[in-house]
Amino acid sequence: MLRDLSLPCRKTVDFLSDSTFLHQAAKSTGFLKRKPRKVTPEDFVKAVRHATAHALTSFEAIARHSADEDTQTCSRQNIFKRCGVSAVDFMRKVLDHAIASRATAVPLPEAAVRFKRIIIQDGSLIRFHDSAREHFPAVSSTAEDKAMLRLQFAYDYKSGRTLFATPAAYSHTDAAASADLLGWLEPGDLCLRDMGYYKTGLFETMDATGVFYLSRFKPDVKIPQGHGQPAIGLDEFLRGAHGNLLDQAIHIGAKGSFTTRVVAVRVPGKVSAEAQMQAARGSEAE
């Protein structure tokens, strides 16, 4: 989550120089119990951020980057001892603070006002050294990715409050985790997730409980036409649209009994051609 080399919002990470906040967070989580001799809380956070930014998530990498922040060297054994439950709680508090800072720093669009919360969920793959394969087995096409886990993360875009950050097995895909969010949603919320979580049944459940949702359609979705006509594919349905904007209610689902809304904006020919080439490459890879 801290692997952002572009840092689009400078204010989001300004607090990393705020030793008062970091020391308070470290003390409240038990990460800091006495005056640090080598690695301060701010050194630890910056070292983790720099190591993950370079895709180096080892104790040795964190120790090396902590030395960059402090004139005293630090061993990987020392970092190993520090990375216990209190370190996890400390970094979780730092991450929550970063997201909340971003939420307050960026003005909300006018359309966001009508929703109680805007819940965003996504999954990330975290890679480990091959030696961790016994505990975090992964099936991958590349020889390097033998040990991985998935992290499901959800937060409220309006307040910056984290709902959950749940580690899971590599085999627990976004589709398998698609129902995990339901218990966190409330009437008036807007749920934003990518196509990996797409399930018509979940859309029906959210709609019935007063939750709004926004998702891309799966390319193979079938849209019933009614009057005894066979269902058509999404591409054929969109080709029949007129104008540059389509905003229409449609029926989807196994029996075509669920009504939802499709919004589509016509893109320039160049953008369309690039999207079709990417889709073709994806199909060939499968």
Side-chain angles (χ1 to χ4, degrees):
M1 295 302 171
L2 294 175
R3 189 179 176 183
D4 187 354
L5 302 181
S6 62
L7 297 181
C9 185
R10 182 68 255 177
K11 293 182 180 179
T12 301
V13 294
D14 280 347
F15 74 93
L16 293 180
S17 299
D18 185 354
S19 59
T20 300
F21 162 76
L22 291 175
H23 276 253
Q24 289 176 345
K27 287 183 177 179
S28 67
T29 56
F31 180 70
L32 180 63
K33 297 180 179 179
R34 62 184 68 87
K35 184 177 180 181
R37 290 179 297 176
K38 290 186 177 181
V39 181
T40 65
E42 51 264 48
D43 289 339
F44 182 79
V45 171
K46 289 179 181 179
V48 171
R49 181 167 62 88
H50 290 167
T52 53
H54 293 86
L56 300 172
T57 53
S58 65
F59 295 123
E60 182 177 356
I62 297 174
R64 184 167 61 252
H65 284 286
S66 68
D68 293 340
E69 302 296 335
D70 191 87
T71 55
Q72 301 186 61
T73 59
C74 179
S75 67
R76 63 180 181 179
Q77 289 81 4
N78 184 274
I79 294 295
F80 173 79
K81 292 178 181 178
R82 300 294 299 276
C83 291
V85 175
S86 61
V88 174
D89 292 339
F90 171 55
M91 291 302 294
R92 181 182 287 117
K93 180 163 282 193
V94 170
L95 178 59
D96 287 344
H97 187 84
I99 296 175
S101 299
R102 177 66 183 267
T104 56
V106 179
L108 288 173
E110 184 178 349
V113 177
R114 66 169 297 183
F115 302 108
K116 182 178 181 179
R117 300 181 302 174
I118 300 178
I119 306 301
I120 301 176
Q121 180 184 6
D122 201 3
S124 298
L125 280 175
I126 299 177
R127 292 168 171 81
F128 297 100
H129 189 270
D130 290 351
S131 59
R133 187 175 189 179
E134 179 182 353
H135 304 286
F136 306 101
V139 179
S140 175
S141 58
T142 62
E144 293 81 10
D145 298 334
K146 296 180 180 179
M148 291 189 284
L149 66 75
R150 293 184 187 270
L151 178 70
Q152 290 295 331
F153 188 83
Y155 76 104
D156 174 19
Y157 175 79
K158 296 183 71 172
S159 68
R161 175 177 170 269
T162 299
L163 273 66
F164 59 78
T166 308
Y170 173 81
S171 58
H172 193 65
T173 63
D174 290 349
S178 57
D180 296 351
L181 186 62
L182 292 180
W184 296 84
L185 297 174
E186 301 173 359
D189 286 346
L190 170 63
C191 175
L192 300 179
R193 303 193 292 186
D194 62 29
M195 194 166 54
Y197 299 89
Y198 185 104
K199 284 189 178 180
T200 304
L202 296 180
F203 298 148
E204 293 188 64
T205 301
M206 286 188 275
D207 183 69
T209 54
V211 174
F212 299 90
Y213 57 89
L214 183 62
S215 170
R216 293 171 56 197
F217 276 105
K218 281 191 172 181
D220 59 353
V221 67
K222 297 296 182 181
I223 303 174
Q225 296 302 289
H227 306 293
Q229 299 182 27
I232 61 175
L234 181 62
D235 56 345
E236 183 180 351
F237 174 78
L238 293 176
R239 281 198 299 268
H242 301 286
N244 294 323
L245 174 64
L246 172 67
D247 187 344
Q248 179 180 328
I250 62 171
H251 299 287
I252 59 174
K255 299 180 179 180
S257 57
F258 177 58
T259 303
T260 190
R261 177 183 175 191
V262 57
V263 178
V265 178
R266 194 179 300 278
V267 298
K270 182 179 179 180
V271 176
S272 176
E274 291 177 352
Q276 291 178 15
M277 289 178 61
Q278 290 180 358
R281 284 196 293 267
S283 300
E284 292 175 358
E286 293 177 0

